Amino acid sequence: DAGVIQSPRHEVTEMGQEVTLRCKPISGHDYLFWYRQTMMRGLELLIYFNNNVPIDDSGMPEDRFSAKMPNASFSTLKIQPSEPRDSAVYFCASSLRGLVNEQFFGPGTRLTVL
Amino acid sequence: RKEVEQDPGPFNVPEGATVAFNCTYSNSASQSFFWYRQDCRKEPKLLMSVYSSGNEDGRFTAQLNRASQYISLLIRDSKLSDSATYLCVRENYGQNFVFGPGTRLSVLP
């Protein structure tokens, strides 16, 4: 199994630009999670989906952030417009049958907003 | 008080030592707990789940103390390869999933 795939692995952009992060979960997994990790705040859950439906987006920091899951094999996290404080590592994870089961993380996207 | 708290460390221990980390949580309704391991500049990976009765996996032992609201991880006979950040995780009846800030362990030769 290829595991969770994220792209790009690194992104450097300028303040005000739109950023789109992509994730392909493990085939057959019905839960997908987006996390953000910084030194100051640690690993934070932003949003998660069950069967492509957003269940809890209370962790999304503000309206500049949006996430979609158009099908079971693809999700995006978009930041528009980006700001320097959005610089972080963004992880996507997937699991089978929910929060109580192991989450498999992708390698992450390291975002730098200048 | 933060939902999940951990001593950030670093814990610097020699090879072969026994080391223990604690993690405290504030929500008494929390149901499930886990330990994840994260290597430097890598993604987190599940180390072990934490059961009410405690559980052991080789050199690793996890304990849950609901009365005092903490979980622990014990590593025996530390190896150089155990050097990583250990994240405790609390799940609350399927409502949310919270990672602690992590405890950094360095095992020294």
Side-chain angles (χ1 to χ4, degrees):
Chain A
D1 196 329
V4 176
I5 299 172
Q6 291 187 247
S7 65
R9 294 292 305 277
H10 302 273
E11 177 81 27
V12 180
T13 190
E14 293 187 344
M15 182 174 63
Q17 297 297 306
E18 177 179 296
V19 175
T20 300
L21 311 181
R22 297 172 176 80
C23 175
K24 176 179 168 55
I26 293 173
S27 177
H29 281 190
D30 53 349
Y31 279 77
L32 183 140
F33 307 82
W34 282 102
Y35 290 89
R36 176 174 69 176
Q37 187 173 39
T38 61
M39 287 293 292
M40 289 296 294
R41 301 176 67 90
L43 195 62
E44 302 173 282
L45 177 63
L46 300 178
I47 184 172
Y48 74 92
F49 296 82
N50 175 217
N51 291 322
N52 314 338
V53 176
I55 302 301
D56 184 356
D57 65 355
S58 60
M60 295 286 262
E62 50 197 273
D63 291 345
R64 297 185 297 105
F65 286 69
S66 63
K68 294 182 179 179
M69 192 165 185
N71 57 63
S73 59
F74 184 66
S75 177
T76 59
L77 178 68
K78 186 175 294 186
I79 308 172
Q80 165 64 17
S82 58
E83 296 183 3
R85 60 192 168 122
D86 301 330
S87 298
V89 180
Y90 291 81
F91 288 104
C92 175
S94 69
S95 74
L96 188 60
R97 292 192 298 274
L99 297 174
V100 296
N101 291 319
E102 179 177 2
Q103 294 188 22
F104 293 83
F105 282 76
T109 295
R110 186 171 296 274
L111 173 65
T112 302
V113 183
L114 303 174
Chain B
R1 182 182 176 186
K2 294 182 180 178
E3 291 190 71
V4 179
E5 295 193 68
Q6 295 182 254
D7 182 341
F11 284 61
N12 298 315
V13 302
E15 266 188 292
T18 295
V19 61
F21 314 131
N22 279 348
C23 166
T24 58
Y25 60 95
S26 60
N27 188 334
S28 60
S30 298
Q31 184 183 32
S32 301
F33 301 88
F34 310 86
W35 283 102
Y36 276 70
R37 170 196 168 126
Q38 186 173 23
D39 293 316
C40 187
R41 301 180 77 84
K42 297 287 189 180
E43 70 273 21
K45 294 183 179 179
L46 179 67
L47 177 66
M48 58 197 308
S49 302
V50 186
Y51 304 125
S52 295
S53 56
N55 49 306
E56 187 174 315
D57 182 4
R59 297 181 294 108
F60 298 83
T61 300
Q63 297 275 355
L64 168 61
N65 186 319
R66 288 194 183 274
S68 301
Q69 295 186 200
Y70 75 87
I71 65 172
S72 63
L73 178 67
L74 180 77
I75 306 175
R76 290 179 298 277
D77 189 22
S78 300
K79 311 291 185 190
L80 295 177
S81 58
D82 293 335
S83 298
T85 297
Y86 291 84
L87 305 164
C88 80
V89 187
R90 187 216 85 199
E91 179 273 333
N92 181 25
Y93 292 105
Q95 299 302 308
N96 54 35
F97 201 74
V98 180
F99 278 78
T103 296
R104 193 153 58 92
L105 171 66
S106 289
V107 181
L108 308 173

